[in-house]
Amino acid sequence: MIYNPKYLTPFILAMSVSAWSIVAIADDEKQLGGPVLTAFGAEKAGNKEGTIPAYTGEGLKIPAGFGKDPKDPYSRPDPFTNEKPLYSITAQNAAQYADKLDGLVEIFKTYPNFRMDVYPTHRSTVFPQYMLDNTLKNAKDCKSVDNDTLIENCWGGIPFPVPQNGAQVMWNHLTAFRGHAWQGYSNSYVVATNGTVSNVGGNRLWQQSPYYDPKATAPAVGKTVYWAFRADADAPTRKVGEKLVIVDPLDVKNIGRRAYQYIPGQRRVKLSPDLAYDTPSPSGGGSATMDDALAFSGALDRYDFKLVGKKEKLIMANNFKIYDRAGCDDARIVSTKNFPNPDCIRWELRRVWTVEAKLKPGFRHVYPRRMFYWDEDGYATGLAENYDAANKLYRVVSLHGVPYYTEEEGGMVAEGTFNLDLQTGVWSVQGVHGNVGAGAAKSSPKPDNFFSSEGLTGAGIR
């Protein structure tokens, strides 16, 4: 069992041979924040082997001098810089860890020189009190409706701290807490099969979530935006001046995603409704779809989401290594063919919610089946294993996040993904922070029209 039956009334929602069974909680709001569950629904206890520690609620202390360098305000020193890997997984020993790898075993079969360095697990993500308070409200008030494609009466917290089905887990990921507003800079690259590297986007970024407005006095409504995104490109040369806005409301099915682009050569802003679902990502070089952003983003209407269970899995976590300007700048991260440089990636054993998505009859997508694994400590990190029509692993998408330091009110910097196309050998990284000046930090919220066609029209002159 995942949860201690001493405190819970168990009934099995879903189970598989490889996944742990899930139990529901009789009075969710009474269990949250108690001896078993955190206020946001994760298990407090570690695992019996001690390889996953207990959650203590202690965040990371802010390093001396953090944010003081005007030329590199987003640099994030690694609090675990002196740690060494506990072990490494290679093609030679991958079978030994198959139960913690799942579909990732195929990467070792496809690329025999792939390696995973596994480090000690640190549960360092903390959250501001208002978000935890709202999560407790959601345990009683938040509902998923219309076949779980919409949520209503939800406050700015995790909608379903004790999820009862796969779609609710997906909503927890979509609305994962990364702050009310944040900004920064990142680069994106595509690495061809022969190892040729192309910078496909250097972007100044602004993001915010009105859903997490700490001043909100009522639950969110359908038009409430949970993710607003704007990217202004200044690299490479051919893309200088391009701008992109994506706005996702809670009612992403009926109100729908709003996406706008400004192309300097056209001197106009255009509505881009096709920037969703399986449209190829402009910065993915053919290795990612639009809904691969954040390992999954957008509407839930094309898939049936089954809650498979909760298990232990190796995922990228606490990836401060990719903020290391000296040891793992962008050039080193993208210096390897087929996958990111293993020297720059930190893998940890985490407890994850496992969701299987199968395409509904009558709908189309290049991924008929998908497996999602979301970290229980906030849902902002995890990975997706995406399968083709022959049920062969097609692409793997991994979020590479780090916790905000405690003094910054908690949450995650989880903006970028590594996208591995196992069928072509191409891989990409969308949003990487290894170079001076790259990264993200909390910021003051922008006015709503900043994330609009009018906002792009006013700024989009080259």
Side-chain angles (χ1 to χ4, degrees):
M1 288 288 182
I2 295 176
Y3 302 123
N4 188 338
K6 174 181 177 181
Y7 300 100
L8 307 177
T9 302
F11 78 93
I12 297 176
L13 290 175
M15 56 189 305
S16 71
V17 173
S18 61
W20 298 354
S21 60
I22 296 176
V23 295
I25 296 177
D27 293 312
D28 298 347
E29 65 275 12
K30 293 181 180 179
Q31 298 294 336
L32 294 169
V36 177
L37 301 181
T38 67
F40 53 90
E43 293 179 64
K44 279 189 173 180
N47 64 1
K48 63 181 181 181
E49 296 83 6
T51 50
I52 296 177
Y55 183 83
T56 65
E58 296 179 6
L60 301 174
K61 299 301 181 183
I62 193 166
F66 170 72
K68 304 300 183 183
D69 183 352
K71 296 182 180 180
D72 199 16
Y74 306 125
S75 173
R76 294 191 174 274
D78 186 354
F80 312 120
T81 188
N82 294 323
E83 286 188 349
K84 302 298 182 184
L86 297 172
Y87 55 93
S88 294
I89 303 175
T90 66
Q92 287 67 46
N93 65 354
Q96 177 182 341
Y97 301 97
D99 63 324
K100 305 295 190 295
L101 294 171
D102 303 292
L104 298 183
V105 169
E106 294 301 316
I107 302 180
F108 293 95
K109 295 178 181 178
T110 307
Y111 309 126
N113 56 338
F114 181 66
R115 187 183 86 243
M116 295 171 59
D117 292 337
V118 181
Y119 289 78
T121 299
H122 294 280
R123 302 177 67 183
S124 305
T125 306
V126 295
F127 301 97
Q129 190 60 47
Y130 86 92
M131 179 271 197
L132 299 177
D133 292 342
N134 285 340
T135 298
L136 293 175
K137 294 180 185 178
N138 287 339
K140 297 183 293 184
D141 299 338
C142 187
K143 307 295 180 185
S144 57
V145 298
D146 196 1
N147 293 319
D148 300 306
T149 59
L150 312 174
I151 61 175
E152 62 182 22
N153 207 41
C154 306
W155 296 80
I158 291 177
F160 305 103
V162 186
Q164 302 296 295
N165 59 49
Q168 290 184 357
V169 172
M170 298 303 291
W171 273 113
N172 288 350
H173 166 68
L174 290 173
T175 60
F177 182 80
R178 293 176 287 151
H180 180 205
W182 59 105
Q183 66 181 47
Y185 187 91
S186 72
N187 287 291
S188 296
Y189 302 90
V190 173
V191 182
T193 305
N194 64 2
T196 300
V197 179
S198 300
N199 184 336
V200 293
N203 293 283
R204 189 177 179 193
L205 305 173
W206 296 266
Q207 301 182 68
Q208 64 192 50
S209 177
Y211 173 75
Y212 279 109
D213 184 351
K215 298 180 181 179
T217 58
V221 295
K223 66 180 181 180
T224 300
V225 173
Y226 69 84
W227 184 46
F229 171 90
R230 174 167 164 175
D232 289 11
D234 63 10
T237 302
R238 62 183 173 81
K239 297 190 72 172
V240 173
E242 288 188 12
K243 302 179 190 298
L244 171 66
V245 160
I246 295 175
V247 179
D248 280 346
L250 289 175
D251 189 351
V252 74
K253 179 180 178 182
N254 298 309
I255 298 176
R257 167 175 287 186
R258 299 188 298 279
Y260 305 96
Q261 287 180 297
Y262 175 78
I263 309 298
Q266 299 177 5
R267 292 294 183 104
R268 68 183 180 89
V269 174
K270 66 174 184 177
L271 179 66
S272 302
D274 57 333
L275 291 180
Y277 298 111
D278 60 352
T279 297
S281 171
S283 58
S287 67
T289 62
M290 283 300 300
D291 63 4
D292 279 330
L294 303 177
F296 183 83
S297 65
L300 301 180
D301 58 321
R302 293 194 179 184
Y303 289 94
D304 290 315
F305 295 94
K306 176 186 176 182
L307 180 53
V308 176
K310 200 179 190 185
K311 63 169 297 179
E312 296 177 3
K313 185 174 177 70
L314 291 163
I315 64 173
M316 295 182 185
N318 288 303
N319 262 291
F320 289 94
K321 291 169 74 70
I322 62 173
Y323 284 84
D324 184 352
R325 281 47 170 133
C328 279
D329 62 3
D330 287 7
R332 189 172 185 212
I333 293 170
V334 299
S335 63
T336 48
K337 295 190 298 183
N338 307 129
F339 48 81
N341 188 334
D343 295 339
C344 297
I345 304 300
R346 180 187 180 103
W347 298 85
E348 292 185 2
L349 184 65
R350 315 285 298 196
R351 271 195 299 251
V352 298
W353 291 98
T354 305
V355 175
E356 181 182 36
K358 288 187 176 181
L359 195 63
K360 293 179 178 179
F363 287 88
R364 63 168 300 277
H365 198 289
V366 295
Y367 308 142
R369 187 172 78 93
R370 309 167 86 158
M371 295 297 299
F372 298 104
Y373 306 90
W374 306 123
D375 186 13
E376 69 170 344
D377 288 345
Y379 298 87
T381 54
L383 63 82
E385 298 166 355
N386 301 312
Y387 292 80
D388 64 13
N391 203 30
K392 183 178 179 180
L393 186 62
Y394 183 5
R395 293 171 179 160
V396 174
V397 186
S398 290
L399 274 160
H400 50 76
V402 299
Y404 278 112
Y405 300 122
T406 303
E407 287 79 356
E408 292 188 290
E409 295 292 345
M412 295 285 295
V413 184
E415 308 307 307
T417 56
F418 291 111
N419 310 283
L420 279 61
D421 189 320
L422 301 185
Q423 297 184 13
T424 66
V426 173
W427 74 274
S428 65
V429 55
Q430 295 179 288
V432 69
H433 305 141
N435 288 352
V436 171
K442 300 290 178 66
S443 62
S444 299
K446 295 287 187 181
D448 291 345
N449 65 3
F450 184 79
F451 300 94
S452 69
S453 59
E454 294 81 7
L456 291 190
T457 300
I461 297 177
R462 178 183 172 187

